[in-house]
Amino acid sequence: MDPAVTDTPTDAALRRAAELAREFVAGLPSRPVHATVSLETLRARFGGPLPEEGEDAAAVVDALAANAEGGLIGSAGPRYFGFVIGGGLPAAVGADWLTSAWDQNAGLYVIGPAAAVAEEVAGAWAADLFGLPAGVSVGFTTGATMASFTGLAAGRHALLREAGWDVERQGMFGAPELPVVTSDESHVTIFAALQMLGLGRERVTRVPTDGQGRMRADALAMVLGDLGRPALVCAQAGNVNTGAFDPLPPIVAAVRANGGWLHVDGAFGLWAAADPARRHLVDGVGLADSWTTDAHKWLNVPYDAGLSFVAHPAAHQAAMTLGAAYYVETTGAERDPYNWVPESSRRARGFTAWAALRSLGRRGVADLVARDCDLARRFAAGLDGAPGVRILNDVVLNQVLVRFDDPSGDAALGDARTDAVIAAVQADGTLWLGGTLWHDQRAMRISVSGWSTSASDVDVSVAVIRRVAEAIREG
Ligand SMILES: *Cc1c(COP(=O)(O)O)cnc(C)c1O
């Protein structure tokens, strides 16, 4: 590069950031997965009054990395099994750096043409992988929460419009009744989306679930039959505890008979469609009206990256569009991203998803899903049969629920023992996983969602869990 370019504050800051980032990523497999510094330390390091004078860019980058040291979780590494979290594929992280350097505004085609087209293409590739109908519209959101907000807003628009009400103009006061039906185990963010849409978090009929957390389709059909008017129905592909899938074919049939709108939250589970061996889990998914997924979970794209798909583009756009006079009217050939998401100005999220999908290809996405599911089974097999250890779920996807029973059989003592094992595993630092409340009992929750996790990472992790559990058993 031209020395006039390489001698600037910008270049120095970028080079320093690249060095620090490379060191961090290279160290991920060997550093502790948990944080090693306290809240007080982090506040003291980052804190103090706002400086009066500014500082050199590269020095600030250095200071940031020094302050964050020990306060960074190894969630991008191979042994993070908490929540449902992915890492960052190499191509996606590279694309993310460029996204920042390019600093495109992905609101309008005219201020970010490449960003708009990357979204268009990555969205179509993902829709194809999931087997969604031709012509679905797509919006790139911060995550699954806002993707569900978007899909449910489109459903709210369509159902109220059929009832003669323009909700975008008139709001919800005085609107016709719009029933909402969820699963008893719908993800908490579905209720968050409903609360933001004026539909109410508790003004909802919750359909009971079965022993794996799947919505009971017979119960849904009864609920819808009793309503006598079209409802907004939320089903789930991938229960956040068990990974189980709501039975979509009978759910689709019940919603069609009701004339309602079916939204499917597939934040991570929708990716099962990309694996030929697991596609059957989402049979019927293409017949829904709107879908949510994340790219920052199982596709292993850096945050933030959610996708909202809608089978009725007019409803999608009507629910989201801003319609300000100064927004450039496009000719119809180009796609303005702001029409499909809640925001106007925003990050160009399509670049990372495009890069991840291009680097994996169709086969690579299938392999990633299949590998993580196989590793989840390896976890279950490695833990099952150890003294006092029980696997609570059918391991159909990437989620494993583990229970550590008390020898007395007492449930409360089993809860305490399970929490103690989880806490000891977290403190060990070799891996990280969390706990959950599953059908009234505490359980360890293991999620295998990373691109870099190997069989030996699982074996090392199983050994730690077994050792810790044994130590607690012996008191
Ligand atoms: C993670 C998750 C969400 C929320 O996703 P965010 O990207 O955190 O907004 C919603 N639904 C399910 C099933 C999830 O697993």
Side-chain angles (χ1 to χ4, degrees):
M1 262 197 296
D2 180 345
V5 176
T6 55
D7 200 22
T8 61
T10 302
D11 195 61
L14 289 183
R15 267 189 287 124
R16 194 67 194 114
E19 280 164 20
L20 290 162
R22 290 170 65 194
E23 267 170 41
F24 176 78
V25 170
L28 274 171
S30 52
R31 64 169 51 234
V33 182
H34 58 35
T36 53
V37 297
S38 67
L39 168 66
E40 294 71 32
T41 302
L42 289 170
R43 286 207 174 125
R45 283 193 201 157
F46 279 96
L50 173 65
E52 283 308 318
E53 303 299 333
E55 211 180 318
D56 171 70
V60 172
V61 169
D62 264 324
L64 173 63
N67 289 349
E69 184 57 44
L72 299 172
I73 302 292
S75 50
R79 288 185 308 281
Y80 190 89
F81 306 108
F83 302 95
V84 186
I85 297 255
L89 284 163
V93 175
D96 198 54
W97 289 4
L98 284 178
T99 303
S100 290
W102 290 341
D103 194 24
Q104 299 292 287
N105 184 328
L108 292 166
Y109 179 89
V110 71
I111 44 179
V117 171
E119 284 192 3
E120 188 179 301
V121 172
W125 283 352
D128 177 42
L129 278 178
F130 300 144
L132 304 187
V136 291
S137 45
V138 60
F140 280 70
T141 60
T142 47
T145 306
M146 290 316 284
S148 285
F149 172 86
T150 303
L152 293 172
R156 183 183 71 162
H157 167 91
L159 294 179
L160 286 177
R161 199 186 126 110
E162 274 163 34
W165 188 262
D166 182 342
V167 67
E168 282 74 33
R169 278 175 192 276
Q170 297 173 271
M172 289 300 290
F173 294 105
E177 181 76 15
L178 173 53
V180 178
V181 180
T182 68
S183 153
D184 200 32
E185 294 186 43
S186 286
H187 195 264
V188 61
T189 54
I190 288 290
F191 300 99
L194 293 170
Q195 119 195 349
M196 292 188 283
L197 286 164
L199 293 167
R201 203 171 59 211
E202 289 174 13
R203 197 194 131 277
V204 167
T205 308
R206 299 171 72 125
V207 176
T209 51
D210 68 12
Q212 295 295 320
R214 294 174 291 227
M215 185 198 276
R216 282 184 35 211
D218 55 337
L220 172 69
M222 270 167 56
V223 164
L224 293 179
D226 288 347
L227 280 175
R229 60 189 312 145
L232 195 51
V233 180
C234 306
Q236 187 163 251
N239 179 292
V240 81
N241 283 308
T242 62
F245 291 75
D246 289 351
L248 293 171
I251 289 173
V252 167
V255 177
R256 289 295 157 255
N258 160 268
W261 178 287
L262 177 60
H263 177 76
V264 176
D265 176 4
F268 63 97
L270 205 48
W271 294 92
D275 175 12
R278 291 179 176 78
R279 193 169 291 152
H280 64 95
L281 294 168
V282 292
D283 268 353
V285 75
L287 299 170
D289 297 291
S290 55
W291 303 263
T292 284
T293 199
D294 266 328
H296 59 217
K297 288 181 176 171
W298 222 346
L299 186 58
N300 281 259
V301 161
Y303 298 97
D304 43 29
L307 288 99
S308 170
F309 297 96
V310 181
H312 315 280
H316 189 174
Q317 182 164 356
M320 288 296 127
T321 195
L322 299 164
Y326 67 86
Y327 274 66
V328 184
E329 289 295 330
T330 53
T331 60
E334 62 267 27
R335 173 183 178 279
D336 279 325
Y338 80 85
N339 280 318
W340 314 99
V341 293
E343 308 103 325
S344 165
S345 295
R346 67 181 170 82
R347 185 173 182 79
R349 299 191 184 108
F351 291 133
T352 52
W354 182 89
L357 290 169
R358 173 143 173 180
S359 80
L360 292 171
R362 191 183 297 277
R363 178 157 325 141
V365 180
D367 288 349
L368 169 61
V369 170
R371 193 168 66 244
D372 282 347
C373 292
D374 288 346
L375 292 174
R377 281 218 287 260
R378 190 179 183 97
F379 249 118
L383 293 170
D384 201 14
V389 181
R390 251 186 323 134
I391 305 300
L392 298 181
N393 65 317
D394 296 341
V395 182
V396 294
L397 201 67
N398 62 334
Q399 304 291 116
V400 188
L401 292 180
V402 193
R403 168 83 175 174
F404 299 85
D405 288 316
D406 189 79
S408 69
D410 181 88
L413 290 175
D415 284 348
R417 181 173 292 250
T418 300
D419 283 338
V421 174
I422 294 166
V425 170
Q426 289 174 351
D428 172 84
T430 306
L431 68 149
W432 203 93
L433 42 68
T436 189
L437 188 66
W438 167 248
H439 291 188
D440 300 325
Q441 55 187 336
R442 297 291 302 161
M444 170 186 279
R445 184 168 72 132
I446 298 170
S447 174
V448 190
S449 320
W451 69 276
S452 64
T453 303
S454 68
S456 68
D457 289 309
V458 171
D459 295 346
V460 164
S461 301
V462 164
V464 169
I465 298 169
R466 289 183 71 136
R467 170 165 53 72
V468 159
E470 198 52 40
I472 288 173
R473 237 181 118 72
E474 285 164 8

